Amino acid sequence: MESYALSRLRVLIVEDDGFTQQLLRAIVKRLGARAKVCADGPSALAAVSSGTFDVMLVDWQMPGMDGCALTRTIRRLPEPAQAKMPIIMVTGTSDQPRVLAARDAGVDGYLVTPVSPKKLHDHLLAVMRRRSLSQTA
């Protein structure tokens, strides 16, 4: 089995709910990765433009710009490293229309809350593995 160094992983968490922000940050840190939190889409876009992240966890429902709109905007960025950054949608809804809408927006993974460290770990590994494979293809 391949080894992925989560200790090097830079995770951008985009979530407007304070409790969920703290929970996701704590799990990401427990997994050994580094985390930055943004409370909305515009601040996430600014963070992506000024920083380098390996993966983004994004909430579906946020004021101003929802997770799908943020994902579509990121996918259109001119810088390939930013536009192709793996994005995992983290939301409380698992109904098929939402999952399909997120996929069509360009998310790489869909994680339904409540989030456990194991579920997040597995999703992070899966998107990083796919990213690694796509870069070598």
Side-chain angles (χ1 to χ4, degrees), residues 19-111:
F19 175 78
T20 307
Q21 286 176 357
Q22 290 176 353
L23 177 66
L24 289 173
R25 179 187 295 209
I27 293 172
V28 165
K29 287 186 174 187
R30 180 176 171 194
L31 295 174
R34 291 174 278 162
K36 175 175 176 54
V37 176
C38 293
D40 56 41
S43 63
L45 286 173
V48 168
S49 296
S50 65
T52 304
F53 299 95
D54 298 302
V55 64
M56 182 169 72
L57 305 177
V58 62
D59 183 24
W60 178 290
Q61 195 168 3
M62 296 180 292
M65 177 184 276
D66 69 30
C68 284
L70 174 60
T71 300
R72 284 190 295 274
T73 302
I74 287 174
R75 295 296 182 233
R76 291 191 301 261
L77 292 174
E79 176 59 43
Q82 295 168 345
K84 293 181 180 182
M85 174 178 46
I87 300 173
I88 299 172
M89 180 75 68
V90 181
T91 183
T93 306
S94 63
D95 61 328
Q96 187 176 11
R98 277 212 172 182
V99 173
L100 295 175
R103 181 205 60 198
D104 292 346
V107 301
D108 300 286
Y110 196 92
L111 183 58

Coordinates of all heavy atoms in Angstrom, one line a residue, residues 19-111:
F19 N -18.7 25.7 15.1 CA -18.5 24.4 15.7 C -17.8 23.4 14.7 O -16.9 22.7 15.0 CB -19.8 23.8 16.3 CG -19.6 22.4 16.8 CD1 -19.0 22.2 18.0 CD2 -20.0 21.3 16.0 CE1 -18.9 20.9 18.5 CE2 -19.8 20.0 16.5 CZ -19.2 19.8 17.7
T20 N -18.4 23.4 13.5 CA -17.9 22.5 12.4 C -16.4 22.9 12.0 O -15.6 22.0 11.8 CB -18.8 22.5 11.2 OG1 -20.1 22.1 11.7 CG2 -18.4 21.4 10.2
Q21 N -16.2 24.2 12.0 CA -14.8 24.7 11.8 C -13.8 24.0 12.8 O -12.8 23.5 12.4 CB -14.7 26.2 11.9 CG -15.3 27.0 10.8 CD -15.2 28.5 11.1 OE1 -14.8 28.9 12.1 NE2 -15.6 29.3 10.1
Q22 N -14.2 24.2 14.0 CA -13.3 23.7 15.1 C -13.2 22.2 15.0 O -12.1 21.6 15.2 CB -13.9 24.1 16.5 CG -13.8 25.5 16.8 CD -14.4 25.9 18.1 OE1 -15.0 25.1 18.8 NE2 -14.2 27.1 18.5
L23 N -14.3 21.5 14.7 CA -14.2 20.0 14.6 C -13.3 19.6 13.5 O -12.4 18.7 13.7 CB -15.6 19.4 14.4 CG -15.7 17.9 14.2 CD1 -15.3 17.2 15.5 CD2 -17.1 17.5 13.8
L24 N -13.5 20.1 12.3 CA -12.7 19.8 11.1 C -11.2 20.1 11.4 O -10.3 19.3 11.0 CB -13.2 20.4 9.9 CG -14.5 19.9 9.3 CD1 -15.0 20.7 8.2 CD2 -14.4 18.4 8.9
R25 N -11.0 21.3 11.9 CA -9.6 21.7 12.2 C -8.9 20.7 13.2 O -7.8 20.3 13.0 CB -9.5 23.1 12.8 CG -8.0 23.5 13.1 CD -8.0 24.8 13.8 NE -8.5 25.8 12.9 CZ -8.1 27.1 12.9 NH1 -7.3 27.5 13.8 NH2 -8.6 28.0 12.1
A26 N -9.6 20.3 14.2 CA -9.1 19.4 15.2 C -8.8 18.0 14.6 O -7.7 17.4 14.8 CB -10.1 19.2 16.4
I27 N -9.7 17.6 13.7 CA -9.4 16.3 13.1 C -8.3 16.4 12.1 O -7.4 15.5 12.1 CB -10.7 15.8 12.3 CG1 -11.8 15.5 13.3 CG2 -10.4 14.5 11.5 CD1 -13.2 15.1 12.7
V28 N -8.2 17.4 11.3 CA -7.1 17.6 10.4 C -5.8 17.6 11.1 O -4.8 16.9 10.8 CB -7.3 18.8 9.5 CG1 -6.0 19.2 8.8 CG2 -8.4 18.6 8.5
K29 N -5.7 18.4 12.2 CA -4.5 18.4 13.0 C -4.2 17.1 13.6 O -3.0 16.7 13.7 CB -4.6 19.5 14.1 CG -4.5 20.9 13.5 CD -4.5 22.0 14.5 CE -4.2 23.3 13.9 NZ -4.0 24.4 14.9
R30 N -5.2 16.4 14.1 CA -5.0 15.1 14.7 C -4.4 14.1 13.7 O -3.6 13.2 14.0 CB -6.3 14.5 15.2 CG -6.2 13.2 15.9 CD -7.5 12.7 16.5 NE -7.4 11.3 16.9 CZ -8.5 10.6 17.2 NH1 -9.7 11.1 17.1 NH2 -8.3 9.4 17.5
L31 N -4.8 14.3 12.4 CA -4.2 13.4 11.3 C -2.8 13.9 11.0 O -2.2 13.2 10.1 CB -5.1 13.5 10.1 CG -6.5 12.9 10.3 CD1 -7.4 13.1 9.1 CD2 -6.5 11.4 10.6
G32 N -2.3 15.0 11.5 CA -1.0 15.4 11.3 C -0.8 16.4 10.2 O 0.3 16.9 9.9
A33 N -1.9 16.9 9.6 CA -1.9 17.8 8.5 C -2.0 19.2 9.1 O -2.3 19.4 10.2 CB -3.0 17.6 7.5
R34 N -1.7 20.2 8.2 CA -1.9 21.6 8.6 C -3.2 22.1 8.0 O -3.6 21.7 6.9 CB -0.7 22.4 8.0 CG 0.6 22.1 8.7 CD 1.8 22.8 8.1 NE 2.1 22.0 6.9 CZ 2.9 22.4 5.9 NH1 3.3 23.7 5.9 NH2 3.2 21.6 4.9
A35 N -3.8 23.0 8.8 CA -5.2 23.5 8.4 C -5.2 25.0 8.5 O -4.7 25.7 9.3 CB -6.2 22.9 9.3
K36 N -5.9 25.6 7.5 CA -6.3 27.0 7.5 C -7.8 27.0 7.3 O -8.4 26.3 6.5 CB -5.7 27.8 6.4 CG -6.1 29.2 6.3 CD -5.4 30.0 5.3 CE -5.9 31.4 5.1 NZ -6.0 32.2 6.3
V37 N -8.5 27.9 8.1 CA -10.0 27.9 8.0 C -10.4 29.3 7.4 O -9.9 30.3 7.8 CB -10.6 27.8 9.4 CG1 -12.1 27.9 9.4 CG2 -10.2 26.4 10.0
C38 N -11.4 29.2 6.5 CA -12.1 30.3 6.0 C -13.5 30.2 6.2 O -14.1 29.0 6.1 CB -11.8 30.5 4.5 SG -10.1 30.9 4.1
A39 N -14.2 31.2 6.5 CA -15.7 31.1 6.8 C -16.6 31.3 5.6 O -17.8 31.1 5.8 CB -16.0 32.2 7.9
D40 N -16.0 31.7 4.5 CA -16.9 31.9 3.3 C -16.1 31.7 2.0 O -14.9 31.7 2.0 CB -17.6 33.2 3.4 CG -16.6 34.4 3.5 OD1 -15.6 34.4 2.8 OD2 -16.9 35.3 4.3
G41 N -16.9 31.7 0.9 CA -16.3 31.5 -0.4 C -15.3 32.6 -0.8 O -14.2 32.3 -1.2
P42 N -15.6 33.9 -0.7 CA -14.7 35.0 -1.1 C -13.4 34.9 -0.3 O -12.3 35.1 -0.9 CB -15.5 36.2 -0.8 CG -16.9 35.9 -0.9 CD -17.0 34.5 -0.4
S43 N -13.4 34.6 1.0 CA -12.1 34.5 1.8 C -11.4 33.3 1.3 O -10.1 33.3 1.3 CB -12.4 34.6 3.3 OG -13.1 33.5 3.7
A44 N -12.1 32.2 1.0 CA -11.4 31.0 0.5 C -10.7 31.3 -0.8 O -9.6 30.9 -1.1 CB -12.4 29.9 0.3
L45 N -11.4 32.0 -1.7 CA -10.7 32.4 -3.0 C -9.5 33.2 -2.8 O -8.5 33.0 -3.5 CB -11.7 33.1 -3.9 CG -12.8 32.3 -4.5 CD1 -13.8 33.2 -5.3 CD2 -12.2 31.3 -5.5
A46 N -9.5 34.2 -1.8 CA -8.4 35.0 -1.5 C -7.2 34.1 -1.0 O -6.1 34.3 -1.3 CB -8.7 36.1 -0.5
A47 N -7.6 33.1 -0.1 CA -6.6 32.2 0.5 C -5.9 31.4 -0.6 O -4.7 31.2 -0.6 CB -7.2 31.4 1.5
V48 N -6.8 30.9 -1.6 CA -6.2 30.0 -2.6 C -5.3 30.8 -3.5 O -4.3 30.4 -4.0 CB -7.4 29.4 -3.5 CG1 -6.9 28.8 -4.7 CG2 -8.1 28.4 -2.6
S49 N -5.7 32.1 -3.8 CA -4.9 32.9 -4.6 C -3.5 33.3 -4.0 O -2.5 33.5 -4.7 CB -5.6 34.2 -5.0 OG -6.8 33.9 -5.7
S50 N -3.5 33.4 -2.7 CA -2.3 33.8 -2.0 C -1.5 32.7 -1.4 O -0.4 32.9 -0.9 CB -2.6 34.9 -1.0 OG -3.4 34.3 0.1
G51 N -2.0 31.5 -1.3 CA -1.4 30.4 -0.7 C -1.4 29.1 -1.5 O -2.0 29.1 -2.6
T52 N -0.7 28.1 -1.0 CA -0.7 26.8 -1.6 C -1.3 25.8 -0.7 O -0.9 25.6 0.4 CB 0.8 26.4 -1.9 OG1 1.4 27.5 -2.7 CG2 0.8 25.2 -2.7
F53 N -2.3 25.1 -1.2 CA -3.0 24.1 -0.5 C -3.1 22.8 -1.3 O -3.1 22.9 -2.5 CB -4.5 24.5 -0.1 CG -4.5 25.8 0.7 CD1 -4.6 27.0 0.2 CD2 -4.3 25.7 2.1 CE1 -4.6 28.2 0.9 CE2 -4.3 26.8 2.9 CZ -4.5 28.1 2.3
D54 N -3.1 21.7 -0.6 CA -3.1 20.4 -1.3 C -4.5 19.9 -1.5 O -4.7 19.1 -2.4 CB -2.3 19.4 -0.5 CG -0.9 19.8 -0.3 OD1 -0.2 19.9 -1.3 OD2 -0.4 20.0 0.8
V55 N -5.4 20.3 -0.6 CA -6.8 19.8 -0.7 C -7.7 20.9 0.0 O -7.2 21.6 1.0 CB -6.9 18.4 0.0 CG1 -6.6 18.4 1.4 CG2 -8.3 17.8 -0.3
M56 N -8.9 20.9 -0.4 CA -9.9 21.8 0.3 C -11.1 21.0 0.7 O -11.6 20.2 0.0 CB -10.3 22.9 -0.7 CG -11.3 23.9 -0.1 SD -11.6 25.4 -1.2 CE -12.6 24.7 -2.4
L57 N -11.5 21.3 1.9 CA -12.8 20.8 2.5 C -13.8 21.9 2.4 O -13.5 23.0 3.0 CB -12.6 20.3 3.9 CG -11.5 19.3 4.2 CD1 -11.4 19.0 5.7 CD2 -11.7 18.0 3.4
V58 N -14.9 21.7 1.8 CA -15.8 22.9 1.6 C -17.2 22.4 2.0 O -17.7 21.3 1.6 CB -15.8 23.4 0.1 CG1 -16.2 22.4 -0.9 CG2 -16.6 24.7 0.0
D59 N -17.9 23.3 2.7 CA -19.3 23.1 3.1 C -20.2 23.4 1.9 O -19.8 24.3 1.0 CB -19.6 24.1 4.2 CG -21.0 23.9 4.8 OD1 -21.6 22.9 4.6 OD2 -21.5 24.9 5.3
W60 N -21.3 22.8 1.8 CA -22.2 23.0 0.7 C -22.9 24.4 0.9 O -22.9 25.2 0.0 CB -23.3 22.0 0.7 CG -24.3 22.2 -0.4 CD1 -25.3 23.2 -0.4 CD2 -24.5 21.5 -1.6 NE1 -26.0 23.1 -1.5 CE2 -25.5 22.1 -2.3 CE3 -23.8 20.4 -2.2 CZ2 -25.9 21.7 -3.6 CZ3 -24.2 20.0 -3.4 CH2 -25.3 20.6 -4.1
Q61 N -23.5 24.6 2.1 CA -24.4 25.7 2.3 C -23.6 26.8 3.1 O -23.4 26.6 4.3 CB -25.6 25.3 3.1 CG -26.7 26.3 3.0 CD -28.0 25.6 3.5 OE1 -28.1 24.5 3.9 NE2 -29.1 26.4 3.5
M62 N -23.3 27.9 2.5 CA -22.7 29.0 3.1 C -23.3 30.3 2.6 O -23.8 30.3 1.4 CB -21.2 29.1 2.8 CG -20.4 27.9 3.3 SD -18.6 27.9 2.9 CE -18.7 27.7 1.2
P63 N -23.3 31.4 3.4 CA -23.9 32.6 2.9 C -23.0 33.2 1.8 O -21.8 33.1 1.8 CB -23.9 33.5 4.1 CG -22.9 32.9 5.0 CD -22.8 31.5 4.7
G64 N -23.7 33.8 0.8 CA -23.0 34.5 -0.3 C -22.6 33.6 -1.4 O -22.9 33.9 -2.6
M65 N -21.8 32.6 -1.2 CA -21.3 31.7 -2.2 C -21.3 30.3 -1.6 O -20.6 30.0 -0.7 CB -19.9 32.1 -2.6 CG -19.3 31.2 -3.6 SD -17.5 31.6 -4.0 CE -17.8 32.9 -5.2
D66 N -22.2 29.4 -2.2 CA -22.2 28.0 -1.7 C -21.0 27.2 -2.2 O -20.2 27.7 -3.0 CB -23.5 27.4 -2.0 CG -23.8 27.1 -3.5 OD1 -22.8 26.8 -4.2 OD2 -24.9 27.0 -3.9
G67 N -20.9 26.0 -1.7 CA -19.7 25.2 -2.0 C -19.6 24.8 -3.5 O -18.5 24.7 -4.0
C68 N -20.7 24.6 -4.1 CA -20.7 24.3 -5.6 C -20.2 25.5 -6.4 O -19.4 25.4 -7.3 CB -22.1 23.8 -6.0 SG -22.4 22.2 -5.5
A69 N -20.7 26.7 -6.0 CA -20.3 27.9 -6.7 C -18.8 28.2 -6.5 O -18.1 28.5 -7.4 CB -21.1 29.1 -6.3
L70 N -18.3 27.9 -5.3 CA -16.9 28.1 -5.0 C -16.1 27.1 -5.8 O -15.1 27.4 -6.4 CB -16.7 27.9 -3.5 CG -15.2 27.9 -3.0 CD1 -14.5 29.2 -3.4 CD2 -15.1 27.6 -1.5
T71 N -16.5 25.9 -5.8 CA -15.8 24.8 -6.6 C -15.7 25.2 -8.1 O -14.7 25.1 -8.7 CB -16.5 23.4 -6.4 OG1 -16.5 23.1 -5.0 CG2 -15.8 22.4 -7.2
R72 N -16.9 25.6 -8.7 CA -16.9 26.0 -10.1 C -15.9 27.2 -10.3 O -15.2 27.2 -11.3 CB -18.3 26.4 -10.5 CG -19.2 25.1 -10.8 CD -20.5 25.5 -11.5 NE -21.3 26.4 -10.6 CZ -22.2 26.0 -9.7 NH1 -22.3 24.7 -9.5 NH2 -22.9 26.8 -9.0
T73 N -15.9 28.1 -9.4 CA -15.0 29.3 -9.6 C -13.5 28.8 -9.5 O -12.7 29.2 -10.3 CB -15.3 30.3 -8.5 OG1 -16.6 30.7 -8.6 CG2 -14.3 31.5 -8.6
I74 N -13.2 27.9 -8.6 CA -11.8 27.4 -8.4 C -11.4 26.6 -9.7 O -10.3 26.8 -10.2 CB -11.6 26.6 -7.2 CG1 -11.7 27.6 -6.0 CG2 -10.4 25.8 -7.2 CD1 -11.6 26.9 -4.6
R75 N -12.3 25.8 -10.2 CA -12.0 25.0 -11.4 C -11.7 25.9 -12.6 O -11.1 25.5 -13.6 CB -13.1 24.1 -11.7 CG -13.4 23.0 -10.6 CD -12.1 22.1 -10.5 NE -12.3 21.0 -9.6 CZ -11.5 20.8 -8.5 NH1 -10.4 21.5 -8.4 NH2 -11.8 19.8 -7.7
R76 N -12.1 27.2 -12.6 CA -11.9 28.1 -13.7 C -10.7 29.0 -13.5 O -10.4 29.8 -14.4 CB -13.1 29.0 -14.0 CG -14.3 28.2 -14.5 CD -15.4 29.1 -15.0 NE -15.9 30.0 -13.9 CZ -17.0 29.8 -13.2 NH1 -17.8 28.7 -13.4 NH2 -17.4 30.6 -12.3
L77 N -10.0 28.8 -12.4 CA -8.8 29.7 -12.1 C -7.7 29.4 -13.2 O -7.6 28.2 -13.6 CB -8.2 29.4 -10.7 CG -9.1 29.9 -9.6 CD1 -8.5 29.5 -8.2 CD2 -9.3 31.4 -9.6
P78 N -6.9 30.4 -13.6 CA -5.9 30.2 -14.6 C -4.7 29.4 -14.2 O -4.1 28.7 -15.0 CB -5.5 31.6 -15.0 CG -5.9 32.4 -13.8 CD -7.0 31.8 -13.2
E79 N -4.4 29.4 -12.9 CA -3.2 28.6 -12.4 C -3.6 27.1 -12.2 O -4.5 26.8 -11.4 CB -2.8 29.2 -11.1 CG -1.7 28.5 -10.4 CD -0.4 28.4 -11.2 OE1 -0.1 29.4 -11.8 OE2 0.2 27.3 -11.2
P80 N -3.0 26.2 -13.0 CA -3.4 24.8 -12.9 C -3.3 24.2 -11.5 O -4.2 23.4 -11.2 CB -2.4 24.1 -13.9 CG -1.9 25.2 -14.8 CD -2.0 26.5 -14.0
A81 N -2.3 24.5 -10.7 CA -2.2 24.0 -9.4 C -3.4 24.3 -8.5 O -3.9 23.5 -7.7 CB -0.9 24.4 -8.7
Q82 N -3.9 25.5 -8.7 CA -5.1 26.0 -8.0 C -6.4 25.3 -8.6 O -7.2 24.8 -7.8 CB -5.2 27.5 -8.0 CG -4.1 28.2 -7.3 CD -4.0 29.7 -7.6 OE1 -4.7 30.2 -8.5 NE2 -3.2 30.4 -6.8
A83 N -6.5 25.4 -9.9 CA -7.7 24.9 -10.5 C -7.9 23.4 -10.4 O -9.1 22.9 -10.3 CB -7.7 25.2 -12.0
K84 N -6.8 22.6 -10.2 CA -6.9 21.2 -10.1 C -6.8 20.7 -8.6 O -6.8 19.5 -8.4 CB -5.8 20.5 -10.9 CG -6.1 20.8 -12.4 CD -5.0 20.1 -13.2 CE -5.3 20.3 -14.7 NZ -4.3 19.7 -15.6
M85 N -6.8 21.6 -7.7 CA -6.7 21.2 -6.3 C -7.9 20.3 -5.9 O -9.0 20.6 -6.2 CB -6.8 22.5 -5.4 CG -6.8 22.1 -3.9 SD -6.8 23.6 -2.8 CE -8.0 24.7 -3.6
P86 N -7.6 19.2 -5.3 CA -8.7 18.3 -4.9 C -9.6 19.0 -3.9 O -9.2 19.7 -3.0 CB -8.0 17.1 -4.2 CG -6.6 17.1 -4.7 CD -6.3 18.6 -5.0
I87 N -10.9 18.8 -4.1 CA -11.9 19.4 -3.3 C -12.9 18.3 -2.8 O -13.4 17.6 -3.6 CB -12.7 20.5 -4.1 CG1 -11.8 21.6 -4.5 CG2 -13.9 21.1 -3.2 CD1 -12.4 22.6 -5.5
I88 N -13.1 18.3 -1.5 CA -14.0 17.4 -0.8 C -15.2 18.2 -0.3 O -15.0 19.1 0.6 CB -13.3 16.6 0.3 CG1 -12.2 15.7 -0.3 CG2 -14.4 15.7 1.0 CD1 -11.4 15.0 0.8
M89 N -16.4 17.9 -0.7 CA -17.6 18.6 -0.2 C -17.9 17.9 1.1 O -18.0 16.6 1.2 CB -18.7 18.4 -1.2 CG -20.0 19.0 -0.7 SD -20.0 20.8 -0.9 CE -20.0 21.1 -2.6
V90 N -18.1 18.7 2.2 CA -18.5 18.2 3.5 C -19.8 18.8 3.8 O -20.0 20.0 4.0 CB -17.4 18.6 4.6 CG1 -17.8 18.0 5.9 CG2 -16.1 18.1 4.2
T91 N -20.9 17.9 4.0 CA -22.2 18.4 4.1 C -23.1 17.4 4.9 O -22.7 16.2 5.0 CB -22.8 18.7 2.8 OG1 -24.1 19.3 3.0 CG2 -22.9 17.5 1.9
G92 N -24.2 17.8 5.4 CA -25.1 16.9 6.1 C -26.1 16.2 5.2 O -26.9 15.5 5.7
T93 N -26.1 16.5 3.9 CA -27.1 15.9 3.0 C -26.5 14.9 2.1 O -25.5 15.2 1.4 CB -27.8 17.0 2.3 OG1 -28.3 18.0 3.2 CG2 -28.9 16.5 1.4
S94 N -27.1 13.8 1.9 CA -26.5 12.8 1.0 C -27.5 12.4 -0.1 O -27.3 11.4 -0.8 CB -26.2 11.5 1.8 OG -27.3 10.9 2.4
D95 N -28.5 13.2 -0.3 CA -29.5 12.9 -1.4 C -28.8 13.0 -2.8 O -28.0 13.8 -3.0 CB -30.8 13.7 -1.3 CG -30.5 15.2 -1.4 OD1 -29.5 15.7 -1.0 OD2 -31.4 15.9 -2.0
Q96 N -29.2 12.1 -3.7 CA -28.6 12.0 -4.9 C -28.5 13.3 -5.8 O -27.5 13.5 -6.4 CB -29.3 10.9 -5.8 CG -28.5 10.6 -7.0 CD -29.1 9.4 -7.8 OE1 -30.2 8.9 -7.5 NE2 -28.3 9.0 -8.8
P97 N -29.6 14.1 -5.8 CA -29.4 15.3 -6.6 C -28.3 16.2 -6.1 O -27.6 16.8 -6.9 CB -30.8 16.0 -6.4 CG -31.7 14.9 -6.2 CD -30.9 13.9 -5.3
R98 N -28.1 16.3 -4.8 CA -27.0 17.1 -4.3 C -25.6 16.5 -4.6 O -24.7 17.2 -5.0 CB -27.1 17.3 -2.8 CG -28.1 18.4 -2.5 CD -27.6 19.1 -1.2 NE -28.4 20.2 -1.0 CZ -28.3 21.0 0.0 NH1 -27.3 20.8 0.9 NH2 -29.0 22.1 0.1
V99 N -25.5 15.2 -4.5 CA -24.3 14.5 -4.8 C -23.9 14.7 -6.2 O -22.8 15.0 -6.6 CB -24.3 13.0 -4.4 CG1 -23.1 12.3 -4.9 CG2 -24.5 12.8 -2.9
L100 N -24.9 14.6 -7.1 CA -24.7 14.8 -8.5 C -24.3 16.2 -8.9 O -23.4 16.5 -9.7 CB -25.9 14.3 -9.3 CG -26.2 12.8 -9.3 CD1 -27.5 12.5 -10.0 CD2 -25.0 12.0 -9.8
A101 N -25.0 17.2 -8.2 CA -24.7 18.6 -8.4 C -23.3 18.9 -8.0 O -22.5 19.7 -8.7 CB -25.7 19.5 -7.7
A102 N -22.8 18.4 -6.9 CA -21.5 18.6 -6.4 C -20.5 18.0 -7.4 O -19.5 18.6 -7.7 CB -21.3 18.0 -5.0
R103 N -20.7 16.8 -7.8 CA -19.9 16.1 -8.8 C -19.8 17.0 -10.1 O -18.7 17.2 -10.6 CB -20.4 14.7 -9.2 CG -19.5 14.0 -10.2 CD -20.2 13.0 -11.0 NE -21.3 13.6 -11.7 CZ -22.3 12.9 -12.2 NH1 -22.4 11.6 -12.1 NH2 -23.2 13.5 -12.9
D104 N -20.9 17.5 -10.6 CA -21.0 18.3 -11.8 C -20.2 19.6 -11.6 O -19.7 20.2 -12.6 CB -22.4 18.5 -12.2 CG -23.1 17.2 -12.7 OD1 -22.4 16.2 -12.9 OD2 -24.3 17.2 -12.8
A105 N -20.2 20.1 -10.4 CA -19.5 21.3 -10.1 C -18.0 21.1 -10.1 O -17.2 22.1 -10.2 CB -19.9 21.9 -8.7
G106 N -17.6 19.9 -9.9 CA -16.1 19.5 -9.9 C -15.5 19.0 -8.6 O -14.3 19.0 -8.6
V107 N -16.3 18.6 -7.7 CA -15.7 18.1 -6.4 C -15.1 16.7 -6.7 O -15.6 16.0 -7.5 CB -16.7 18.1 -5.2 CG1 -17.3 19.5 -4.9 CG2 -17.8 17.1 -5.4
D108 N -14.1 16.4 -5.9 CA -13.4 15.1 -6.0 C -13.9 14.1 -5.0 O -13.7 12.9 -5.2 CB -11.9 15.3 -5.8 CG -11.4 16.3 -6.8 OD1 -11.2 15.9 -8.0 OD2 -11.1 17.5 -6.5
G109 N -14.6 14.6 -4.0 CA -15.1 13.7 -3.0 C -16.3 14.3 -2.3 O -16.4 15.5 -2.3
Y110 N -17.1 13.5 -1.6 CA -18.3 13.9 -1.0 C -18.4 13.2 0.4 O -18.5 12.0 0.4 CB -19.5 13.6 -1.9 CG -20.8 14.3 -1.5 CD1 -21.1 15.5 -2.1 CD2 -21.7 13.8 -0.6 CE1 -22.3 16.2 -1.8 CE2 -22.8 14.4 -0.2 CZ -23.2 15.6 -0.9 OH -24.3 16.3 -0.6
L111 N -18.3 14.0 1.4 CA -18.3 13.4 2.8 C -19.5 13.9 3.6 O -19.7 15.1 3.7 CB -17.0 13.8 3.5 CG -16.7 13.3 4.8 CD1 -16.7 11.8 4.9 CD2 -15.3 13.9 5.3

